[in-house]
Amino acid sequence: MPMIDADGCLINVTVEGRDGGPTLMLSNSLGCTLQMWEPQMRAFTQVFRVIRYDRRGHGRSSVPPGPYSVERFGRDVLAILDDLNIEKVHWCGLSMGGMVGQWLGANAPERLGKIVLANTTCYFPDQTMWANRIKAVKEGGLAAVADTVIASWLSQDFRDRNPIVAGQTKAMLLATPVDGYLASCEALRTLDLREALPKIKSPTLVIAGRFDKSTPITMAEAIRSQIAGASMTILDAAHISNIEATLAFNDAVLGFLTQR
């Protein structure tokens, strides 16, 4: 697993799958590492060379001082692609990864083929939630918010049926460096990509979760409506839909990326 330097921040990157095939880059949610994509890897690596990475402040990547921004996250992606000598990738980002995809689609369109924006938003009209989240984590660490976050990530029904997966997902959140989490929350508190959306010309699929209260269907529709030709798929899942509705998520993404 290479460590790639992005303006002094070492980013943990993995590259797996088909040599010489088209390349797909996966981008994680806040509080997740590249391990969140394990349910996709068997299916995706049969078709693509797959790049995963730990965003700055997460996993095995460095934790430089914050605050971070979506632009900074986007420039980290470009540094990874430059280091790997990869000109263009398809993009699949969930939640914060979808926000980074929107920035890249508008600001580095030549580097992206098709774009999948899953369980994400372009704007949070109420920034108080993020101010409250930042305050809670500063005072009590990630343990102070973990139960609330997991309840928004995975539906109660899924957690009841899959306690091991739910526990592993919660452990991934709890292992996130607090400073990296807080610096990333600042990027969400100030998020506003509304003016970027009409600049995105890549073929785009928006994925929403029917039970997603963090980035509900109305937010997904707001994105879809501002990107010319974008389509939308709704899955029976809460926020981390690639884990809760793995088969449907894989089918939607592969169907979109491989259609001519």
Side-chain angles (χ1 to χ4, degrees), residues 7 13 34 38 46 72 88 93 98 113 147 150 154 161 187 208 226 239 259:
D7 292 337
V13 180
L34 54 80
E38 282 302 316
Q46 291 178 18
R72 177 64 266 171
K88 180 178 277 194
D147 288 340
I150 292 300
L154 302 169
R161 287 184 290 108
Q226 294 301 308
H239 190 55
Q259 72 185 10

Side-chain angles (χ1 to χ4, degrees), residues 97-174:
M99 299 165 199
V100 179
Q102 293 168 61
W103 186 91
L104 289 166
N107 293 280
E110 72 285 355
R111 307 304 293 270
L112 298 189
K114 294 183 177 182
I115 301 173
V116 179
L117 305 173
N119 302 88
T120 192
T121 187
C122 60
Y123 175 67
F124 287 104
D126 181 10
Q127 297 180 0
T128 357
M129 182 195 77
W130 290 110
N132 292 339
R133 175 78 58 87
I134 289 166
K135 182 175 184 289
V137 173
K138 280 182 177 177
E139 293 175 352
L142 282 162
V145 301
D147 288 340
T148 301
V149 171
I150 292 300
S152 69
W153 279 6
L154 302 169
S155 70
Q156 182 69 57
D157 179 63
F158 180 86
R159 284 178 282 136
D160 289 344
R161 287 184 290 108
N162 299 276
I164 293 175
V165 175
Q168 291 169 338
T169 308
K170 183 177 178 179
M172 179 169 53
L173 170 68
L174 287 169

Side-chain angles (χ1 to χ4, degrees), residues 2-259:
M3 297 292 283
I4 290 174
D5 189 322
D7 292 337
C9 176
L10 293 179
I11 306 287
N12 179 47
V13 180
T14 68
V15 184
E16 302 163 76
R18 285 186 55 190
D19 287 336
T23 303
L24 170 62
M25 193 163 189
L26 304 176
S27 188
N28 321 329
S29 170
L30 170 70
C32 291
T33 69
L34 54 80
Q35 293 299 317
M36 74 169 275
W37 297 108
E38 282 302 316
Q40 280 63 57
M41 291 306 289
R42 183 174 179 181
F44 286 6
T45 54
Q46 291 178 18
V47 183
F48 298 103
R49 175 172 52 169
V50 179
I51 302 171
R52 292 183 290 170
Y53 69 102
D54 289 333
R55 185 174 294 109
R56 65 171 56 213
H58 287 68
R60 295 179 179 171
S61 294
S62 301
V63 187
Y68 305 156
S69 67
V70 171
E71 178 180 356
R72 177 64 266 171
F73 295 145
R75 296 198 181 281
D76 288 347
V77 170
L78 298 178
I80 293 169
L81 297 182
D82 289 345
D83 190 274
L84 295 175
N85 198 29
I86 295 174
E87 183 180 342
K88 180 178 277 194
V89 295
H90 296 310
W91 181 268
C92 178
L94 188 145
S95 192
M96 185 175 273
M99 299 165 199
V100 179
Q102 293 168 61
W103 186 91
L104 289 166
N107 293 280
E110 72 285 355
R111 307 304 293 270
L112 298 189
K114 294 183 177 182
I115 301 173
V116 179
L117 305 173
N119 302 88
T120 192
T121 187
C122 60
Y123 175 67
F124 287 104
D126 181 10
Q127 297 180 0
T128 357
M129 182 195 77
W130 290 110
N132 292 339
R133 175 78 58 87
I134 289 166
K135 182 175 184 289
V137 173
K138 280 182 177 177
E139 293 175 352
L142 282 162
V145 301
D147 288 340
T148 301
V149 171
I150 292 300
S152 69
W153 279 6
L154 302 169
S155 70
Q156 182 69 57
D157 179 63
F158 180 86
R159 284 178 282 136
D160 289 344
R161 287 184 290 108
N162 299 276
I164 293 175
V165 175
Q168 291 169 338
T169 308
K170 183 177 178 179
M172 179 169 53
L173 170 68
L174 287 169
T176 303
V178 169
D179 288 346
Y181 187 89
L182 289 170
S184 300
C185 284
E186 290 289 354
L188 294 173
R189 191 174 64 84
T190 58
L191 178 78
D192 191 349
L193 290 163
R194 289 176 291 180
E195 292 185 2
L197 295 178
K199 300 176 185 176
I200 299 174
K201 305 304 179 188
S202 298
T204 300
L205 170 66
V206 179
I207 295 177
R210 195 177 306 280
F211 314 119
D212 187 350
K213 296 178 181 177
S214 299
T215 53
I217 293 172
T218 52
M219 289 183 171
E221 174 56 28
I223 293 172
R224 187 211 62 78
S225 68
Q226 294 301 308
I227 300 175
S231 56
M232 189 165 85
T233 296
I234 299 173
L235 305 182
D236 288 329
H239 190 55
I240 309 293
S241 64
N242 72 300
I243 292 177
E244 180 158 347
T246 295
L247 293 178
F249 186 95
N250 293 357
D251 286 348
V253 172
L254 289 174
F256 170 70
L257 293 180
T258 58
Q259 72 185 10

